[in-house]
Amino acid sequence: MRITSMIGIASAMLLTGAVTVADAAQPKKGGTLTYTYHPEPTALSTIATTAVPVALISTKIYESLLEYEGAGLTPKPGLAESWAVSPDQLTYTFKLRKGVKWHDGKDFTSEDVKFSIGTIALKYHSRGKTYFSNVADIETPDAHTVILKLNAPVPYLLRAFQPGETPMMPKHAFSEQEIAEKKVRKAKVMQNPIGTGPFKLKEWSKGSHIILERNANYWKPGKPYLDQIVLRVLPDGAARAIAVEKGEVDLAPMTALPPPEIQRLSKLPSLVSSQEGSEGLGPVMWLEVNLREKPLSDVKVRQALSLAIDRKKLVDVIWYGMGKPARGPIVSSNPNHFDKTLPAFEFNPKKAEEMLDEAGYKRGANGKRFKLTQNFLPYGEEWVRQGEYIRQAFSKIGVEVDTQSLDMGGWLKRIYTDWDYNYTSNFTHNYSDPTIGVQRAFISTNIRKGASFSNSMNYASPKVDDLLKKAAALPDGPERKKVWAEVQQTIRADLPVIFLIEMGYTHIWNKRVHGLITNGVSMYSGWDSVWVD
Amino acid sequence: MKRFHIFWFRFRRNRAAAGGAVVLAAILALAAFGPVLYDVDPFEMVGRPFMLPFDRYPLGTDVAGRDILAGIVHGARVSLMIGVLASVAATIVGVTFGAVAGYYGGKIDDILMRTTEFFLCIPSFVLAVVLVAIFQPDVVTVTIAIAVVSWPSVARLARGEFISHRDREYVLGCRAIGMPDWEIILLQIMPNALPPIIVVSSLMVATAILTESGLSFLGLSDPNLVSWGYMIGVARTVLRSAWWMAAIPGAMILITVLAINLVGEGLNDALNPKLRK
């Protein structure tokens, strides 16, 4: 009996072992992966806009110099076979892979790299200036060598070469006129993309679907495994959930479904749900506060409002447990920059009331202290529900709130162009380095009319400005971590935004899909090793 | 008083109408006293989301853990208020247009009726959506939008009534003694033309409630108020896992609209007895 059961266990182990090995070693070729995300992309290149739907699809078509491994984004060879950084961190030399072809058959050379960085990314990518404004010169001694010369060290530069951040664009496909007249975003090639990536555009039927097909001449032998990637446009959240449940759609990345549906579908045996693979994004949600007018210009008022919000409840009820309470501008999962000494934000309505009394905003005869207008990010119903909760929470400490409902265009205009608001819910990505993702919202030079996801609050702190500039130039290490800790503490004390939660992206996919989660920006990767049963 | 007695006698004879009136009275009472008797804030997160009805809360909780009964009670007020106000506004505008057009005829009639037709030829719900989307959705714009899409039918009806009355002997008599036009329109013709208009505008309340529900289902409602349509909109995404969340406010809308229609029918029978034959 004992022996048999042991044999049973052993064979079971053998079997599982065999299955795991097969899973890893024998990917199948062919097949189609269908995914869904709302809203539909407005472009096919992150040069046009870095919005989530655009980044999702364009990263399959375009590549960058490097690829990345693991949650911490360790660089590994991509279009560049090797690279070297000089000891003073001012010279980066990339050796390009030979024999790489664009989708139209032309050779990929160092000229394309120089063009993509100096002419395209620097001027048109929304984070291009953060990465490349210190680049003094780009040298191309031969067709397969690129040398970047910098004025000052840029410690996070090696993270810039992701397909969504610095996509390699074909120089030959842009006309001189398009470059000279600054019509890059409207160039022909932006509609009919030519990349080096594992997939190329086959068909875009607006409002319905986008089909990408396998690039047969891809430089990685035998890859990609998939024949096609299809994006299905399904504007209704419930319809997206049904499509995933029925197996019509294989993947809903980055919380593309309503939270209650995610919870329900997570339990189905045919589906996998995972919060892994987005570590390199780090979304933080907050209430962006307009500091130009009373009473929100008073830090005591903002602290009181912060005390009125029960962040745990917010995560549990509105977001169905996806995420955790935020502790500052940097996500707590970032081991290199997050300041672990930051406590959780307190929930204490009583103290909030005392603070408002102290600040001179006593309850009036009708029990109200003052009135605010709130806006919410128009990304779906969860955001409406959250706004309703916050209005409720504020009304309990005597702050009356009127909600204003706007579409995406109206919201962008009101918050970032007109600056005509009291507060709004919003989120931004930390990205792989806080200088890339955090600085833009808090540095005073980014108080720019019309620039979306910038410093709309009018937050100008000379101390934070100095620290941010210092952090941008320092290499990662204890000293930089200290500077960032000070930034986090100062911002927490000033509260130009009221931090809410660190969002948890949930990806849901059908069990027939394999190899999706590869690094901290898995959904923004090329998917050349993804395969389906 | 005598006229009212006749009306009441006729109305009561129609059993469906009497039943409708009872139900409607109950719903009006719910809207009037409900929020006082069941004093739970409909936006308050009272507990875990997706609680079943008859558990801790009489009708359970919605997707954000809010008491559904509180939503029904507070929503009754909003839905009925928007329905009645929009219908009253539409009736006033429609009757004004129709009365002036019908009484004077000629060019004035042409101008007013072409304007009316302009509104009639646009699908009314689409027009309401456009109006609310252009102006920010709040309770005032929603009411106005519903009134704007509802008044043309009243105008047509009022015009027809006024045309049929304007050449009758009593009107000619009024003119002969030199009565001003406004007095003839308001004090002489209006009371005679009113019965069919009352029927139409009472039925319009039902349509207005449905339109408001449709708008808030699409998210085009006042974000600061709970209405039944809003509750259905919230529950829509979870229709397959929690059907009752949408079914409860849906049933309320159904019952209310049905009751108003029955009452409207009864009014029609009571006020226009000749039409029945």
Side-chain angles (χ1 to χ4, degrees), chain B residues 39 109-110 187 210 248 254:
Chain B
D39 188 18
D109 185 23
D110 280 346
L187 302 181
L210 284 178
I248 294 168
L254 175 82

Side-chain angles (χ1 to χ4, degrees), chain B residues 33-45:
Chain B
F33 308 113
V36 185
L37 295 176
Y38 192 76
D39 188 18
V40 177
D41 191 318
F43 281 113
E44 176 69 36
M45 255 182 220

Side-chain angles (χ1 to χ4, degrees), chain A residues 323-354:
Chain A
K324 50 183 166 182
R327 283 156 70 186
I330 297 179
V331 288
S332 58
S333 56
N334 178 338
N336 298 325
H337 310 103
F338 177 70
D339 177 10
K340 286 197 179 70
T341 62
L342 296 176
F345 282 101
E346 205 183 337
F347 167 59
N348 190 342
K350 218 172 169 188
K351 195 165 150 197
E353 296 228 41
E354 284 164 17

Side-chain angles (χ1 to χ4, degrees), chain A residues 115-136:
Chain A
F115 171 80
S116 301
I117 295 175
T119 310
I120 302 290
L122 178 61
K123 291 179 187 153
Y124 295 97
H125 194 282
S126 62
R127 287 180 288 277
K129 281 206 171 62
T130 314
Y131 293 127
F132 300 118
S133 57
N134 277 338
V135 172

